[in-house]
Amino acid sequence: MHDIVIIGGGPGGYAAALYAFNFGLSVALIEKDRVGGTCLVRGCIPAKSWLETAAVFQTVARSSEFGVRSSEPEVDWSAALARKNKIVDGLVGGLSGLLKTRDVDMYAGFGRAVPGGAVVTSLDGSTTMLPAKATIIATGSVARSIPGYDIDGERIVTSRHALDWEQRPERVAIIGAGAIGAEFASMLADVGSEVHLLEALDQILPGMEPEAAKAVGRSFRKKRINVKTGVRVDPPRITAGGVMVPFGDTSVDVDVVLVAVGRAPVTEGVGLEEVGVSTERGFIPVDAETMETAVPGIYAVGDIVAGTPQLAHVGFSEALAAVTHIATGETAAVDYRAIPMIVYTHPEAASVGLTEAQAIEQGYDVEVTNHGMRAVGRAIIHGETGGVVKIVAQKDGPILGATVVDPLAGEVIHELMYSVGWEALPAEAAAFIHAHPTISEGIGETLLAAAGRPLH
Ligand code: NAD
């Protein structure tokens, strides 16, 4: 009998397995594929590897701007793919080793919750019962599609296939301009593909501040991405040369369509009915303090949890909360107020806390400060002055949320994570000195302005 059986070895599941070691708990971890889950094997990590290839390509392509002569860059697609695979393999190997040193018992196969633990069905069809005192369900999510767009992995694909393309597609239509669609659009356009980005809502990166969407949109126009918002696509037509994607009274002809319209939780077939855990539109409701479902001893973490963002780092944090509760009975609730969200386009868009619209909706009287990166020395040196900083504070009160667009936004957003998490007043945060010259200085300037005493 294990203390915990975990179904799913992605960020939620493997973090739970690793963390349980701190409490001396025995753990069984069931994974049907490779440990690491979507994020490590076919999501965040490989996507960022491709984005890095695109960034290096662009740095070389623009080198003359910086006084460096170089020849025309070319993407060696198979070398870039091999590098991506090597990064993934290295991290999967490292994670497997770490799980071993933490004494986690690994079970390869398909896991299903049953009363008193879980059953694992291995590839050869044999089943093993794994009794446990607590069960953590961490089965993650899969890409959704839309009517008419049947994923065939060739002409109509999801991010999972696109990360393993063996050559650069010439012409791509991307449906959905959320994080996945925007990142692929940025990457593909940067390496020279023709990209059509088709979004149903009226802005790209819906949910992010409109100022951020506009700044990223400007960079997309420079990359010659054909961005269409407010678009409802009709079912595609497979043609001899590729795919035709109709929308409104027009259409685009492309080689491949990447569908990026969100991800659905994997909660069917994993034994939920059998153990009495109910779902809401496929997601599992949990106690926000402990991650325990309505069934005592059964926990859920990660992309399957109802009402929380589908982000690897949220999954990590939820895993820590679940394990802490199982081990000690105490709560270590996730602080959902200050979760950084980063879209790794070039430039990146990063946010934390509430947007202006969310703050108003929640009844706050808000004070908003916008600042551009145009005059920030480091941004000028980088040749990247299209960035923005936006800080949303309660009137005469703390910082509620912030957004940054810049190639380094995903790094510098973390100081604002503390500001939001610690409910700092703009004047308190502005009292600290930002080093000169840095991109963070753009945030310092915005904080000074938010505190009512701008400098530059
Ligand atoms: P998403 O929900 O972020 O974006 C989906 C987009 O598709 C939305 O903009 C939506 O309006 C649009 N859409 C839906 N139906 C459409 C239609 N019929 N036609 C055109 N557009 C349509 O989902 P995603 O980008 O697929 O990402 C899935 C999840 O993974 C998200 O929760 C996302 O936050 C997460 N993710 C995060 C990162 C990151 O943090 N960098 C990267 C990748 C994925």
Side-chain angles (χ1 to χ4, degrees):
M1 158 95 80
H2 287 92
D3 290 314
I4 311 180
V5 61
I6 302 168
I7 305 176
Y14 78 67
L18 294 174
Y19 199 62
F21 183 82
N22 293 307
F23 301 95
L25 300 181
S26 64
V27 175
L29 176 61
I30 308 172
E31 170 56 53
K32 62 179 168 48
D33 194 338
R34 303 166 78 193
V35 286
T38 298
C39 178
L40 207 166
V41 180
R42 49 186 172 273
C44 339
I45 295 289
K48 265 82 264 179
S49 176
W50 280 113
L51 281 153
E52 200 58 33
T53 290
V56 170
F57 179 91
Q58 279 301 316
T59 299
V60 178
R62 291 178 54 194
S63 71
S64 63
E65 253 180 64
F66 298 82
V68 177
R69 256 186 244 126
S70 64
S71 49
E72 281 287 298
E74 251 180 78
V75 179
D76 179 344
W77 198 269
S78 52
L81 177 61
R83 180 174 189 272
K84 180 278 276 183
N85 287 335
K86 194 171 161 200
I87 289 169
V88 171
D89 292 347
L91 286 170
V92 168
L95 176 60
S96 307
L98 189 57
L99 288 163
K100 208 172 278 169
T101 61
R102 299 273 173 97
D103 296 330
V104 175
D105 293 326
M106 294 294 308
Y107 291 86
F110 188 91
R112 190 164 48 83
V114 293
V119 165
V120 53
T121 307
S122 352
L123 291 181
D124 63 11
S126 61
T127 57
T128 312
M129 171 67 194
L130 298 172
K133 294 180 196 151
T135 303
I136 299 180
I137 301 166
T139 42
S141 60
V142 289
R144 291 182 196 276
S145 192
I146 50 174
Y149 287 77
D150 299 326
I151 306 299
D152 63 13
E154 297 282 331
R155 293 290 184 202
I156 316 278
V157 306
T158 68
S159 52
R160 173 184 193 140
H161 310 103
L163 292 167
D164 282 325
W165 275 332
E166 286 178 358
Q167 57 192 25
R168 180 175 68 83
E170 283 298 326
R171 303 166 305 165
V172 186
I174 300 176
I175 302 180
I180 296 181
E183 288 181 6
F184 270 97
S186 177
M187 184 277 278
L188 290 166
D190 272 350
V191 295
S193 295
E194 175 187 311
V195 179
H196 305 270
L197 183 59
L198 310 173
E199 166 58 48
L201 298 180
D202 61 3
Q203 81 166 42
I204 61 167
L205 303 178
M208 279 218 155
E209 292 283 12
E211 290 85 350
K214 269 188 207 130
V216 173
R218 277 195 298 274
S219 80
F220 278 10
R221 270 197 298 283
K222 267 201 209 152
K223 296 181 204 289
R224 299 184 193 285
I225 297 172
N226 175 26
V227 178
K228 297 272 184 237
T229 51
V231 157
R232 177 179 287 268
V233 295
D234 293 318
R237 192 167 329 136
I238 305 290
T239 60
V243 195
M244 190 188 84
V245 179
F247 53 91
D249 50 9
T250 180
S251 63
V252 290
D253 288 294
V254 292
D255 302 311
V256 59
V257 178
L258 169 55
V259 181
V261 297
R263 296 183 61 84
V266 177
T267 48
E268 271 179 31
V270 294
L272 297 186
E273 314 75 26
E274 215 174 322
V275 293
V277 171
S278 55
T279 55
E280 275 173 11
R281 290 191 297 139
F283 292 94
I284 304 179
V286 296
D287 177 321
E289 302 265 298
T290 63
M291 309 312 294
E292 195 169 22
T293 66
V295 179
I298 301 186
Y299 295 73
V301 300
D303 285 5
I304 54 173
V305 173
T308 69
Q310 291 178 309
L311 297 170
H313 43 289
V314 172
F316 291 149
S317 196
E318 291 174 345
L320 271 47
V323 170
T324 304
H325 189 248
I326 292 167
T328 67
E330 316 251 300
T331 57
V334 177
D335 189 347
Y336 291 103
R337 292 170 314 124
I339 295 167
M341 155 84 192
I342 301 153
V343 182
Y344 295 81
T345 42
H346 189 103
E348 296 174 352
S351 66
V352 64
L354 301 179
T355 60
E356 181 181 353
Q358 287 168 336
I360 291 170
E361 200 185 301
Q362 292 188 16
Y364 288 103
D365 196 0
V366 297
E367 193 113 36
V368 172
T369 312
N370 281 293
H371 200 272
M373 291 289 185
R374 251 184 334 275
V376 174
R378 194 85 192 268
I380 297 169
I381 293 163
H382 288 166
E384 301 274 1
T385 52
V388 294
V389 181
K390 175 170 179 175
I391 291 178
V392 178
Q394 185 178 357
K395 199 168 183 334
D396 302 318
I399 297 170
L400 301 169
T403 298
V404 180
V405 174
D406 183 83
L408 297 180
E411 300 301 330
V412 300
I413 194 69
H414 290 88
E415 72 160 284
L416 292 160
M417 170 191 78
Y418 286 121
S419 295
V420 172
W422 285 336
E423 300 177 6
L425 300 173
E428 289 172 327
F432 294 99
I433 299 162
H434 290 76
H436 175 75
T438 56
I439 293 300
S440 302
E441 243 183 332
I443 296 174
E445 292 280 342
T446 317
L447 288 168
L448 280 169
R453 40 188 168 83
L455 179 59
H456 289 97

